[in-house]
Coordinates of all heavy atoms in Angstrom, one line a residue:
M1 N -3.2 -12.2 -31.4 CA -2.9 -10.7 -31.0 C -3.4 -10.8 -29.5 O -4.5 -11.1 -29.2 CB -3.7 -9.9 -31.8 CG -3.6 -8.4 -31.4 SD -4.3 -7.3 -32.6 CE -4.3 -5.9 -31.7
M2 N -2.5 -10.2 -28.6 CA -2.9 -10.1 -27.2 C -3.6 -8.8 -26.9 O -3.1 -7.7 -27.4 CB -1.7 -10.1 -26.4 CG -1.9 -10.3 -24.9 SD -0.4 -10.5 -24.0 CE -0.6 -9.5 -22.7
Q3 N -4.7 -8.8 -26.2 CA -5.4 -7.6 -25.8 C -5.4 -7.4 -24.4 O -5.7 -8.4 -23.5 CB -6.9 -7.6 -26.3 CG -7.1 -7.5 -27.8 CD -8.5 -7.4 -28.1 OE1 -9.3 -8.2 -27.5 NE2 -8.8 -6.6 -29.1
L4 N -5.1 -6.2 -23.8 CA -5.2 -5.9 -22.4 C -6.5 -5.5 -22.1 O -7.1 -4.5 -22.9 CB -4.1 -5.0 -22.0 CG -2.7 -5.4 -22.0 CD1 -1.8 -4.2 -21.7 CD2 -2.5 -6.6 -21.1
T5 N -7.2 -6.0 -21.1 CA -8.5 -5.5 -20.6 C -8.3 -4.9 -19.3 O -7.3 -4.9 -18.7 CB -9.5 -6.7 -20.6 OG1 -9.0 -7.6 -19.6 CG2 -9.6 -7.4 -21.9
A6 N -9.4 -4.4 -18.8 CA -9.4 -3.8 -17.5 C -9.0 -4.9 -16.4 O -8.2 -4.6 -15.5 CB -10.8 -3.2 -17.1
G7 N -9.5 -6.1 -16.6 CA -9.2 -7.2 -15.7 C -7.6 -7.5 -15.8 O -7.1 -7.8 -14.7
S8 N -7.0 -7.5 -16.9 CA -5.6 -7.7 -16.9 C -4.8 -6.6 -16.3 O -3.8 -6.9 -15.7 CB -5.1 -8.1 -18.4 OG -5.8 -7.3 -19.3
S9 N -5.3 -5.3 -16.3 CA -4.6 -4.3 -15.6 C -4.6 -4.5 -14.2 O -3.6 -4.3 -13.4 CB -5.3 -2.9 -16.0 OG -5.2 -2.7 -17.3
V10 N -5.7 -4.9 -13.6 CA -5.8 -5.2 -12.2 C -4.9 -6.3 -11.9 O -4.1 -6.2 -10.8 CB -7.3 -5.6 -11.8 CG1 -7.4 -6.2 -10.4 CG2 -8.2 -4.4 -12.0
L11 N -4.9 -7.4 -12.6 CA -3.8 -8.5 -12.4 C -2.4 -8.0 -12.4 O -1.6 -8.4 -11.5 CB -4.1 -9.6 -13.5 CG -3.2 -10.7 -13.4 CD1 -3.5 -11.5 -12.0 CD2 -3.4 -11.7 -14.5
L12 N -2.1 -7.1 -13.3 CA -0.7 -6.7 -13.4 C -0.4 -5.9 -12.2 O 0.7 -5.9 -11.6 CB -0.5 -5.8 -14.7 CG -0.5 -6.6 -16.0 CD1 -0.5 -5.7 -17.2 CD2 0.7 -7.5 -16.1
A13 N -1.3 -5.0 -11.8 CA -1.1 -4.1 -10.6 C -1.0 -5.1 -9.4 O 0.0 -4.9 -8.5 CB -2.3 -3.2 -10.4
G14 N -1.7 -6.2 -9.4 CA -1.6 -7.1 -8.2 C -0.3 -7.7 -8.2 O 0.3 -8.0 -7.1
Q15 N 0.2 -8.2 -9.3 CA 1.5 -8.7 -9.4 C 2.6 -7.8 -8.9 O 3.6 -8.4 -8.3 CB 1.8 -9.3 -10.9 CG 0.9 -10.5 -11.2 CD 1.1 -10.9 -12.7 OE1 1.3 -9.9 -13.6 NE2 1.0 -12.1 -13.0
S16 N 2.6 -6.6 -9.3 CA 3.6 -5.7 -8.9 C 3.6 -5.5 -7.4 O 4.7 -5.5 -6.8 CB 3.5 -4.3 -9.6 OG 2.4 -3.7 -9.3
M17 N 2.5 -5.5 -6.8 CA 2.4 -5.4 -5.3 C 3.0 -6.7 -4.6 O 3.8 -6.6 -3.6 CB 0.9 -5.3 -4.7 CG 0.4 -3.8 -5.0 SD 1.3 -2.5 -4.0 CE 0.7 -3.0 -2.4
A18 N 2.7 -7.8 -5.2 CA 3.2 -9.1 -4.7 C 4.7 -9.2 -4.9 O 5.3 -10.0 -4.1 CB 2.5 -10.2 -5.4
Q19 N 5.3 -8.4 -5.7 CA 6.7 -8.5 -5.9 C 7.5 -7.8 -4.8 O 8.7 -7.9 -4.6 CB 7.1 -8.0 -7.3 CG 6.7 -9.0 -8.3 CD 6.8 -8.4 -9.8 OE1 7.2 -7.2 -10.0 NE2 6.6 -9.1 -10.8
I20 N 6.8 -6.9 -4.1 CA 7.5 -6.2 -3.0 C 7.7 -7.1 -1.9 O 6.7 -7.8 -1.4 CB 6.7 -5.0 -2.5 CG1 6.5 -4.0 -3.7 CG2 7.3 -4.2 -1.3 CD1 5.5 -2.8 -3.3
P21 N 8.9 -7.4 -1.5 CA 9.2 -8.4 -0.4 C 8.6 -8.1 0.9 O 8.6 -6.9 1.3 CB 10.7 -8.6 -0.5 CG 11.2 -7.3 -1.0 CD 10.2 -6.8 -1.9
K22 N 8.3 -9.1 1.7 CA 7.9 -8.9 3.1 C 9.1 -8.6 3.9 O 10.2 -9.1 3.6 CB 7.2 -10.1 3.7 CG 5.9 -10.4 3.1 CD 5.3 -11.8 3.8 CE 4.0 -12.0 3.1 NZ 3.4 -13.3 3.6
L23 N 8.9 -7.7 4.8 CA 10.1 -7.5 5.8 C 10.5 -8.7 6.6 O 9.5 -9.4 7.2 CB 9.7 -6.4 6.8 CG 10.7 -6.0 7.8 CD1 12.0 -5.5 7.2 CD2 10.1 -5.0 8.8
D24 N 11.7 -9.1 6.6 CA 12.1 -10.2 7.3 C 12.4 -9.9 8.8 O 13.1 -8.8 9.1 CB 13.5 -10.7 6.7 CG 14.0 -12.0 7.3 OD1 13.6 -12.3 8.4 OD2 14.6 -12.8 6.5
E25 N 11.9 -10.6 9.7 CA 12.2 -10.2 11.2 C 13.7 -10.3 11.5 O 14.1 -9.6 12.5 CB 11.5 -11.2 12.0 CG 9.9 -11.1 12.0 CD 9.2 -12.1 12.9 OE1 9.9 -12.9 13.5 OE2 8.0 -12.1 13.0
N26 N 14.4 -10.9 10.7 CA 15.9 -10.9 10.9 C 16.7 -9.8 10.2 O 17.9 -9.8 10.2 CB 16.4 -12.3 10.4 CG 15.9 -13.4 11.3 OD1 15.9 -13.3 12.6 ND2 15.5 -14.5 10.8
D27 N 15.9 -8.9 9.5 CA 16.5 -7.7 8.9 C 17.1 -6.9 10.0 O 16.6 -6.9 11.1 CB 15.5 -7.0 8.2 CG 15.8 -5.6 7.6 OD1 15.9 -4.6 8.4 OD2 16.1 -5.5 6.5
A28 N 18.3 -6.3 9.8 CA 19.0 -5.6 10.8 C 18.1 -4.6 11.4 O 18.0 -4.4 12.7 CB 20.3 -5.0 10.3
Q29 N 17.5 -3.8 10.6 CA 16.5 -2.7 11.2 C 15.3 -3.3 11.9 O 15.0 -2.7 13.0 CB 16.0 -1.9 10.0 CG 15.0 -0.8 10.3 CD 15.6 0.5 10.6 OE1 16.7 0.7 11.1 NE2 14.8 1.6 10.5
A30 N 14.8 -4.4 11.4 CA 13.8 -5.1 12.1 C 14.2 -5.6 13.5 O 13.4 -5.3 14.5 CB 13.2 -6.2 11.2
I31 N 15.4 -6.1 13.6 CA 15.9 -6.5 14.9 C 16.1 -5.4 15.8 O 15.7 -5.4 17.0 CB 17.2 -7.3 14.7 CG1 16.9 -8.7 14.0 CG2 17.8 -7.6 16.1 CD1 18.2 -9.4 13.6
A32 N 16.6 -4.3 15.3 CA 17.0 -3.1 16.1 C 15.6 -2.5 16.8 O 15.7 -2.0 17.8 CB 17.7 -2.1 15.2
L33 N 14.5 -2.6 15.9 CA 13.2 -2.0 16.4 C 12.3 -3.0 17.0 O 11.1 -2.7 17.2 CB 12.6 -1.2 15.3 CG 13.4 0.0 14.9 CD1 12.7 0.8 13.7 CD2 13.6 1.0 16.0
G34 N 12.7 -4.3 17.1 CA 11.9 -5.3 17.7 C 10.7 -5.7 16.8 O 9.7 -6.1 17.3
Y35 N 10.8 -5.6 15.5 CA 9.6 -5.9 14.6 C 9.3 -7.4 14.7 O 10.2 -8.2 14.6 CB 10.0 -5.5 13.2 CG 8.9 -6.0 12.2 CD1 7.7 -5.3 12.0 CD2 9.1 -7.1 11.4 CE1 6.7 -5.7 11.1 CE2 8.2 -7.6 10.6 CZ 7.0 -6.9 10.3 OH 6.0 -7.3 9.5
K36 N 8.0 -7.7 14.8 CA 7.5 -9.0 14.6 C 6.3 -8.9 13.7 O 5.4 -8.0 13.9 CB 7.0 -9.6 16.0 CG 8.1 -9.8 17.0 CD 9.0 -10.9 16.6 CE 10.0 -11.2 17.5 NZ 11.1 -12.2 17.0
A37 N 6.2 -9.9 12.7 CA 5.1 -9.9 11.8 C 3.7 -10.3 12.6 O 2.7 -9.9 12.2 CB 5.3 -10.9 10.7
N38 N 3.8 -10.9 13.7 CA 2.6 -11.2 14.5 C 2.8 -10.5 15.9 O 3.8 -11.0 16.7 CB 2.5 -12.7 14.8 CG 1.4 -13.0 15.7 OD1 0.8 -12.2 16.3 ND2 1.1 -14.3 15.8
N39 N 2.1 -9.4 16.1 CA 2.3 -8.6 17.3 C 2.2 -9.4 18.6 O 2.7 -9.0 19.6 CB 1.5 -7.3 17.2 CG 0.0 -7.7 17.5 OD1 -0.4 -7.8 18.6 ND2 -0.7 -7.7 16.5
A40 N 1.5 -10.5 18.6 CA 1.4 -11.4 19.8 C 2.9 -11.9 20.2 O 3.0 -12.4 21.3 CB 0.5 -12.5 19.6
M41 N 3.8 -11.9 19.2 CA 5.1 -12.5 19.5 C 6.1 -11.5 20.0 O 7.3 -11.9 20.2 CB 5.5 -13.2 18.3 CG 4.7 -14.2 17.6 SD 4.3 -15.5 18.8 CE 5.9 -16.4 19.0
V42 N 5.7 -10.2 20.2 CA 6.6 -9.2 20.7 C 7.1 -9.6 22.1 O 6.3 -10.1 22.9 CB 5.9 -7.9 20.8 CG1 6.8 -6.8 21.5 CG2 5.5 -7.4 19.2
D43 N 8.4 -9.4 22.3 CA 9.0 -9.7 23.6 C 8.5 -8.7 24.7 O 8.9 -7.5 24.6 CB 10.6 -9.6 23.4 CG 11.3 -9.9 24.7 OD1 10.8 -9.9 25.7 OD2 12.6 -10.3 24.5
A44 N 7.5 -9.0 25.5 CA 7.0 -8.2 26.5 C 8.0 -7.6 27.4 O 7.8 -6.5 27.9 CB 5.8 -8.9 27.1
K45 N 9.0 -8.4 27.8 CA 10.1 -7.9 28.7 C 10.9 -6.8 28.1 O 11.2 -5.8 28.7 CB 10.9 -9.1 29.3 CG 10.2 -9.9 30.1 CD 11.1 -11.0 30.8 CE 10.3 -11.9 31.8 NZ 11.0 -13.1 32.1
K46 N 11.2 -7.0 26.9 CA 12.2 -6.0 26.1 C 11.4 -4.8 25.8 O 11.9 -3.7 25.7 CB 12.7 -6.8 25.0 CG 13.9 -6.0 24.4 CD 14.7 -6.8 23.4 CE 15.8 -6.1 22.8 NZ 16.5 -6.8 21.8
Y47 N 10.1 -5.0 25.4 CA 9.2 -3.8 25.0 C 7.9 -3.7 25.7 O 6.9 -4.1 25.4 CB 8.9 -4.1 23.5 CG 10.1 -4.1 22.6 CD1 10.6 -5.4 22.1 CD2 10.8 -3.0 22.4 CE1 11.7 -5.5 21.3 CE2 12.0 -3.1 21.5 CZ 12.4 -4.3 21.0 OH 13.5 -4.3 20.2
P48 N 8.1 -3.3 27.0 CA 6.9 -3.2 27.9 C 5.8 -2.2 27.5 O 4.7 -2.4 27.9 CB 7.4 -2.8 29.3 CG 8.7 -2.3 29.0 CD 9.2 -2.9 27.7
A49 N 6.1 -1.4 26.6 CA 5.2 -0.4 26.1 C 4.2 -1.0 25.1 O 3.2 -0.4 24.8 CB 6.0 0.8 25.3
H50 N 4.6 -2.2 24.5 CA 3.7 -2.8 23.7 C 2.3 -3.3 24.4 O 2.4 -3.9 25.4 CB 4.3 -4.0 23.0 CG 3.4 -4.9 22.2 ND1 2.8 -6.1 22.5 CD2 2.8 -4.6 21.0 CE1 2.0 -6.5 21.6 NE2 2.0 -5.7 20.7
A51 N 1.2 -3.0 23.8 CA 0.0 -3.3 24.5 C -0.9 -4.1 23.5 O -0.8 -3.9 22.3 CB -0.8 -2.1 24.9
T52 N -1.8 -4.9 24.0 CA -2.7 -5.7 23.2 C -3.4 -4.8 22.3 O -3.9 -3.7 22.7 CB -3.6 -6.4 24.1 OG1 -2.9 -7.3 24.9 CG2 -4.6 -7.3 23.3
G53 N -3.6 -5.2 21.0 CA -4.4 -4.3 20.1 C -3.5 -3.4 19.2 O -4.0 -2.9 18.2
Q54 N -2.3 -3.1 19.7 CA -1.4 -2.3 18.9 C -0.9 -3.1 17.8 O -0.3 -4.3 18.0 CB -0.1 -1.9 19.8 CG -0.5 -0.9 20.8 CD 0.7 -0.4 21.6 OE1 1.7 -0.9 21.4 NE2 0.5 0.6 22.4
A55 N -0.9 -2.7 16.5 CA -0.4 -3.4 15.3 C -0.2 -2.3 14.3 O -0.7 -1.2 14.3 CB -1.5 -4.4 14.9
C56 N 0.6 -2.8 13.3 CA 1.0 -1.9 12.1 C -0.4 -1.3 11.5 O -0.4 -0.2 11.2 CB 1.6 -2.7 11.1 SG 3.4 -3.2 11.6
K57 N -1.4 -2.1 11.4 CA -2.6 -1.7 10.7 C -3.2 -0.4 11.5 O -4.1 0.3 10.9 CB -3.6 -2.8 10.6 CG -4.2 -3.3 11.9 CD -5.0 -4.5 11.6 CE -5.5 -5.1 12.9 NZ -6.1 -6.4 12.7
N58 N -2.9 -0.2 12.6 CA -3.4 1.0 13.4 C -2.3 2.0 13.9 O -2.6 2.7 14.8 CB -4.4 0.7 14.5 CG -3.9 -0.3 15.6 OD1 -2.7 -0.1 16.0 ND2 -4.6 -1.3 15.9
C59 N -1.1 1.9 13.1 CA 0.0 2.7 13.4 C -0.1 4.0 12.5 O -0.4 3.8 11.3 CB 1.2 2.0 13.3 SG 2.8 3.0 13.4
Q60 N 0.4 5.1 13.0 CA 0.4 6.3 12.0 C 1.2 6.1 10.9 O 1.0 6.8 9.8 CB 1.0 7.5 12.9 CG -0.1 8.3 13.7 CD 0.5 9.5 14.4 OE1 1.7 9.7 14.4 NE2 -0.3 10.3 14.9
L61 N 2.3 5.4 10.9 CA 3.2 5.2 9.8 C 2.7 4.2 8.8 O 3.3 4.0 7.8 CB 4.7 4.8 10.3 CG 5.2 5.8 11.2 CD1 6.5 5.3 11.7 CD2 5.5 7.1 10.5
Y62 N 1.6 3.5 9.0 CA 1.1 2.5 8.1 C 0.1 3.2 7.1 O -0.9 3.7 7.5 CB 0.4 1.4 8.8 CG -0.1 0.2 8.1 CD1 0.9 -0.7 7.7 CD2 -1.5 0.0 7.8 CE1 0.6 -1.9 7.1 CE2 -1.8 -1.2 7.2 CZ -0.8 -2.1 6.8 OH -1.2 -3.2 6.1
P63 N 0.5 3.2 5.8 CA -0.3 4.0 4.8 C -1.6 3.2 4.4 O -2.4 3.8 3.8 CB 0.6 4.3 3.7 CG 1.6 3.2 3.8 CD 1.7 2.7 5.2
G64 N -1.6 1.9 4.5 CA -2.7 1.1 4.1 C -4.0 1.3 5.0 O -4.0 2.0 5.9
K65 N -4.9 0.5 4.5 CA -6.2 0.5 5.2 C -6.1 -0.5 6.4 O -5.2 -1.4 6.3 CB -7.3 0.1 4.4 CG -7.7 1.1 3.3 CD -8.8 0.6 2.4 CE -8.2 -0.3 1.4 NZ -9.1 -0.8 0.4
S66 N -6.9 -0.4 7.4 CA -6.8 -1.3 8.5 C -7.0 -2.7 8.1 O -6.7 -3.7 8.9 CB -7.7 -0.9 9.7 OG -9.0 -0.9 9.3
T67 N -7.8 -2.9 7.0 CA -8.0 -4.3 6.7 C -7.0 -4.9 5.7 O -7.1 -6.1 5.4 CB -9.4 -4.2 5.9 OG1 -9.3 -3.3 4.9 CG2 -10.6 -3.9 6.8
D68 N -6.0 -4.1 5.3 CA -4.9 -4.6 4.5 C -4.0 -5.6 5.2 O -3.7 -5.4 6.3 CB -4.0 -3.5 3.9 CG -4.8 -2.6 2.9 OD1 -5.9 -3.0 2.4 OD2 -4.3 -1.5 2.6
A69 N -3.7 -6.8 4.5 CA -2.9 -7.7 5.2 C -1.4 -7.3 5.3 O -0.7 -7.7 6.3 CB -2.9 -9.1 4.3
A70 N -1.0 -6.3 4.5 CA 0.3 -5.9 4.5 C 0.4 -4.5 3.9 O -0.6 -4.1 3.1 CB 1.3 -6.8 3.8
G71 N 1.4 -3.7 4.3 CA 1.6 -2.4 3.6 C 3.0 -1.9 3.8 O 3.8 -2.5 4.5
S72 N 3.4 -0.8 3.1 CA 4.7 -0.3 3.2 C 4.8 0.6 4.6 O 3.8 1.0 5.1 CB 4.9 0.6 2.0 OG 4.0 1.7 2.0
C73 N 6.0 0.6 5.0 CA 6.3 1.5 6.2 C 7.6 2.2 5.9 O 8.5 1.6 5.5 CB 6.5 0.5 7.4 SG 7.1 1.4 8.9
P74 N 7.5 3.5 6.1 CA 8.7 4.4 5.7 C 9.9 4.0 6.5 O 11.1 4.3 6.1 CB 8.3 5.8 6.1 CG 7.1 5.7 7.0 CD 6.4 4.4 6.6
L75 N 9.9 3.3 7.6 CA 11.1 2.9 8.3 C 11.8 1.7 7.7 O 12.9 1.4 8.1 CB 10.7 2.5 9.7 CG 10.1 3.7 10.6 CD1 9.9 3.2 12.1 CD2 10.9 4.8 10.6
Y76 N 11.0 1.0 6.8 CA 11.6 -0.2 6.2 C 11.4 -0.1 4.8 O 10.5 -0.7 4.0 CB 11.0 -1.4 6.7 CG 10.9 -1.5 8.2 CD1 9.8 -1.2 9.0 CD2 12.1 -2.0 8.9 CE1 9.9 -1.2 10.3 CE2 12.0 -2.1 10.3 CZ 11.0 -1.7 11.0 OH 11.0 -1.8 12.3
A77 N 12.1 0.9 4.1 CA 11.9 1.2 2.6 C 12.1 -0.1 1.8 O 13.0 -0.9 1.9 CB 13.0 2.2 2.2
G78 N 11.1 -0.2 0.8 CA 11.2 -1.3 -0.1 C 10.7 -2.6 0.4 O 10.8 -3.6 -0.2
K79 N 10.1 -2.6 1.6 CA 9.6 -3.9 2.2 C 8.2 -3.7 2.7 O 7.7 -2.6 2.9 CB 10.5 -4.3 3.4 CG 11.9 -4.5 3.1 CD 12.2 -5.7 2.3 CE 13.6 -6.0 1.9 NZ 14.6 -5.9 2.9
M80 N 7.4 -4.8 2.8 CA 6.1 -4.7 3.2 C 6.1 -5.3 4.7 O 6.5 -6.3 4.9 CB 5.2 -5.6 2.3 CG 5.1 -5.1 0.9 SD 4.2 -3.6 0.6 CE 2.5 -4.3 0.6
V81 N 5.4 -4.5 5.5 CA 5.2 -5.0 6.9 C 3.8 -5.5 7.0 O 2.9 -5.2 6.3 CB 5.4 -3.9 7.9 CG1 6.8 -3.3 7.9 CG2 4.4 -2.7 7.8
A82 N 3.6 -6.6 7.9 CA 2.3 -7.2 8.1 C 1.4 -6.3 8.8 O 1.7 -5.5 9.8 CB 2.5 -8.5 8.8
G83 N 0.1 -6.2 8.5 CA -0.9 -5.5 9.1 C -1.0 -5.8 10.6 O -1.3 -5.1 11.5
S84 N -0.7 -7.1 10.9 CA -0.7 -7.7 12.2 C 0.6 -7.6 13.0 O 0.7 -7.9 14.1 CB -1.1 -9.2 12.2 OG -0.2 -9.9 11.5
G85 N 1.6 -6.8 12.2 CA 2.9 -6.7 12.9 C 3.0 -5.6 13.8 O 2.1 -4.9 14.3
W86 N 4.2 -5.4 14.4 CA 4.4 -4.3 15.4 C 5.9 -4.1 15.5 O 6.8 -5.0 15.3 CB 3.9 -4.7 16.7 CG 4.0 -3.7 17.9 CD1 3.1 -2.7 18.2 CD2 5.2 -3.4 18.7 NE1 3.5 -2.0 19.2 CE2 4.8 -2.3 19.5 CE3 6.4 -4.1 18.9 CZ2 5.7 -1.9 20.5 CZ3 7.3 -3.6 19.9 CH2 6.9 -2.5 20.7
C87 N 6.4 -2.8 15.7 CA 7.7 -2.6 16.1 C 7.7 -1.4 17.1 O 6.7 -0.8 17.4 CB 8.6 -2.3 14.9 SG 8.6 -0.5 14.3
S88 N 8.9 -1.2 17.7 CA 9.0 -0.3 18.9 C 8.8 1.1 18.4 O 8.7 2.1 19.3 CB 10.3 -0.4 19.6 OG 11.4 -0.2 18.8
A89 N 8.6 1.4 17.1 CA 8.4 2.8 16.6 C 6.9 3.0 16.5 O 6.5 4.1 16.0 CB 9.1 3.0 15.3
Y90 N 6.1 2.1 16.9 CA 4.7 2.2 16.8 C 4.1 3.5 17.5 O 4.5 3.9 18.5 CB 4.0 1.1 17.7 CG 2.5 1.2 17.7 CD1 1.6 0.6 16.6 CD2 1.8 1.8 18.8 CE1 0.3 0.8 16.7 CE2 0.4 1.8 18.8 CZ -0.3 1.4 17.7 OH -1.7 1.4 17.8
A91 N 3.2 4.1 16.6 CA 2.6 5.4 17.2 C 1.0 5.2 16.8 O 0.8 5.1 15.6 CB 3.1 6.6 16.6
K92 N 0.2 5.3 17.7 CA -1.2 5.1 17.4 C -1.7 6.1 16.4 O -1.5 7.2 16.5 CB -2.0 5.2 18.8 CG -3.6 4.8 18.5 CD -4.2 4.8 19.9 CE -5.7 4.8 19.8 NZ -6.4 3.6 19.6
K93 N -2.4 5.5 15.4 CA -3.0 6.4 14.3 C -4.2 7.3 15.1 O -4.9 6.8 15.8 CB -3.7 5.5 13.3 CG -4.1 6.2 12.1 CD -4.4 5.3 11.0 CE -3.3 4.7 10.2 NZ -3.7 3.9 9.0
A94 N -4.1 8.5 14.6 CA -5.1 9.5 15.3 C -6.4 9.2 14.7 O -6.6 8.7 13.6 CB -4.6 10.9 15.0
Ligands
LIG101 FE1 4.5 -1.2 12.0 FE2 4.3 1.4 12.7 FE3 6.5 -0.2 13.3 FE4 6.0 0.6 10.7 S1 6.5 2.0 12.6 S2 6.6 -1.5 11.4 S3 3.7 0.5 10.7 S4 4.5 -0.5 14.1

């Protein structure tokens, strides 16, 4: 007989988060907004407004904590953006 414990609930929750796919930089919306999973790779000529230190983890649209490796972004429904990512819709978290 299988018993679910508090530990297994955490594991199940972790698995469901892991099933949310990462946003692909080649996704049409990602290309349109210049998304890069590593903000250091942003095209500085195309996006001169990008500044060092700007990343998804400190963007208003990022619902996760600044220490989260990835989180959802309303601009890319059903996908996880990297905490270290960036796109041209960036808005500094207040
Ligand atoms: Fe990251 Fe903000 Fe762009 Fe979403 S809107 S991908 S959180 S920089």
Side-chain angles (χ1 to χ4, degrees):
M1 179 175 170
M2 188 174 139
Q3 288 186 322
L4 289 179
T5 62
S8 32
S9 296
V10 169
L11 180 61
L12 290 173
Q15 286 176 328
S16 62
M17 284 295 286
Q19 289 169 355
I20 300 173
K22 287 182 183 173
L23 175 63
D24 188 331
E25 291 179 355
N26 294 316
D27 173 281
Q29 173 90 337
I31 291 172
L33 294 176
Y35 171 80
K36 293 292 180 190
N38 177 352
N39 70 81
M41 303 305 289
V42 171
D43 184 339
K45 286 186 178 165
K46 194 169 180 183
Y47 300 105
H50 174 254
T52 302
Q54 292 181 349
C56 294
K57 64 186 176 187
N58 55 43
C59 173
Q60 273 185 349
L61 297 178
Y62 190 72
K65 291 178 279 186
S66 62
T67 52
D68 290 348
S72 59
C73 172
L75 297 185
Y76 308 97
K79 302 285 171 63
M80 298 286 277
V81 297
S84 59
W86 185 90
C87 87
S88 59
Y90 175 86
K92 187 177 168 78
K93 194 173 274 189

